């Protein structure tokens, strides 16, 4: 399960060492740890990392299939997690050491910056291939965080981007060798920890107001 560590002013949220799929327990644990970081006073920054083959493999479709009556409220919590990370009043970096697929890729996009392993692992939005359309909120999140050309290609082709390709497409901000992804992310974000403030949260909220509004409108659309 996700857990939180700290390296000076940098909090490190470890998503886990499995597929790190989104289900209520996992999303609840991630949200709780993010709330802990956000409520900590003083300079701070967040790196979201993982271990093993996956950073996150997206929604737990098996759980959703087994709990159809709970799927709608669960998706509301996923949309809220995206909006929460997108507007956190502190600097954030996703340290992507493995595959980031579907909702996992969207969670990575909600961070301020992304560092990806150069030689292994893929960033992928496979919804077109698994025949699950993006919600309006997800679409706005992706459009707000990627260049138009990259968003179009990623969303309509389901392309799998390796680290160097993701860097060229401006999906990620840096790449690193195996074993250096987390250290690189910490190095990037540590000098920014002093910028954590309500002002930073307001700036992000206004910068991404369309995406946040769309993500938080999903419950109303469902209802």
């Amino acid at each position: 399960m996700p857990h939180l560590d700290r390296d000076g002013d940098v909090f490190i949220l470890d998503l886990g060492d499995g597929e790190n799929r989104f289900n209520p327990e996992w999303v609840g644990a991630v949200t709780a740890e993010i709330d802990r970081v956000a409520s900590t006073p003083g300079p701070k920054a967040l790196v979201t990392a993982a271990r093993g083959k996956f950073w996150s493999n997206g929604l737990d479709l098996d759980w959703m299939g087994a709990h159809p009556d709970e799927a709608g409220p669960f998706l509301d919590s996923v949309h809220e997690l995206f909006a929460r990370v997108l507007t956190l009043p502190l600097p954030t970096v996703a340290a992507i050491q493995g595959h980031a697929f579907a909702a996992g890729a969207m969670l990575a996009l909600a961070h301020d910056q992304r560092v990806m392993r150069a030689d292994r692992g893929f960033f992928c939005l496979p919804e077109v291939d698994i025949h699950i359309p993006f919600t309006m909120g997800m679409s706005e999140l992706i459009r707000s965080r990627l260049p138009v050309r990259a968003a179009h290609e990623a969303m309509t082709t389901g392309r799998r981007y390796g680290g160097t390709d993701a860097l060229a497409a401006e999906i990620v901000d840096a790449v690193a060798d195996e074993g250096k992804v987390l250290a690189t992310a910490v190095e990037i974000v540590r000098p920014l920890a002093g910028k954590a403030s309500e002002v930073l949260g307001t700036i992000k909220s206004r910068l991404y107001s369309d995406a946040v509004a769309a993500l938080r409108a999903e419950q109303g659309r469902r209802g």
Side-chain angles (χ1 to χ4, degrees):
M1 289 297 291
H3 69 273
L4 196 64
D5 294 314
R6 187 169 185 175
D7 179 358
D9 292 334
V10 180
F11 288 87
I12 300 171
L13 174 57
D14 185 329
L15 298 178
D17 60 1
E19 290 194 23
N20 302 326
R21 285 188 177 269
F22 289 53
N23 55 49
E25 183 180 12
W26 189 88
V27 170
V30 170
T31 300
E33 299 293 16
I34 288 173
D35 287 344
R36 284 180 58 195
V37 176
S39 65
T40 301
K44 57 197 169 188
L46 174 68
V47 170
T48 304
R51 290 165 287 124
K53 183 177 179 180
F54 298 92
W55 192 78
S56 173
N57 210 17
L59 296 177
D60 188 340
L61 298 179
D62 290 340
W63 181 91
M64 294 179 70
H67 302 82
D69 294 340
E70 300 174 54
F74 166 64
L75 281 175
D76 291 341
S77 72
V78 173
H79 289 118
E80 181 56 33
L81 175 61
F82 293 157
R84 182 90 167 99
V85 174
L86 188 62
T87 59
L88 276 173
L90 59 142
T92 62
V93 179
I96 308 169
Q97 92 301 336
H99 299 312
F101 273 58
M106 295 177 219
L107 179 59
L109 288 177
H111 289 70
D112 297 337
Q113 299 185 65
R114 285 153 298 287
V115 179
M116 190 170 175
R117 181 172 167 178
D119 63 335
R120 204 166 203 179
F122 292 109
F123 176 100
C124 180
L125 297 170
E127 280 74 5
V128 69
D129 293 318
I130 60 177
H131 306 292
I132 298 177
F134 299 96
T135 66
M136 287 297 296
M138 291 173 178
S139 296
E140 286 296 331
L141 168 64
I142 297 164
R143 290 200 304 174
S144 72
R145 297 297 287 132
L146 291 181
V148 173
R149 185 180 183 89
H152 178 88
E153 180 179 60
M155 296 172 76
T156 65
T157 71
R159 176 179 173 181
R160 297 184 177 196
Y161 297 84
T164 55
D165 288 339
L167 182 62
E170 300 182 41
I171 294 170
V172 302
D173 301 272
V175 294
D177 294 335
E178 180 183 7
K180 296 182 179 179
V181 174
L182 176 57
T184 300
V186 171
E187 181 182 354
I188 287 172
V189 82
R190 193 187 300 279
L192 302 175
K195 300 183 186 298
S197 66
E198 291 184 8
V199 169
L200 179 59
T202 299
I203 289 171
K204 291 185 186 182
S205 295
R206 292 175 179 174
L207 182 62
Y208 299 113
S209 58
D210 289 345
V212 172
L215 286 164
R216 289 180 169 156
E218 291 297 339
Q219 183 172 359
R221 292 192 185 99
R222 182 175 58 81

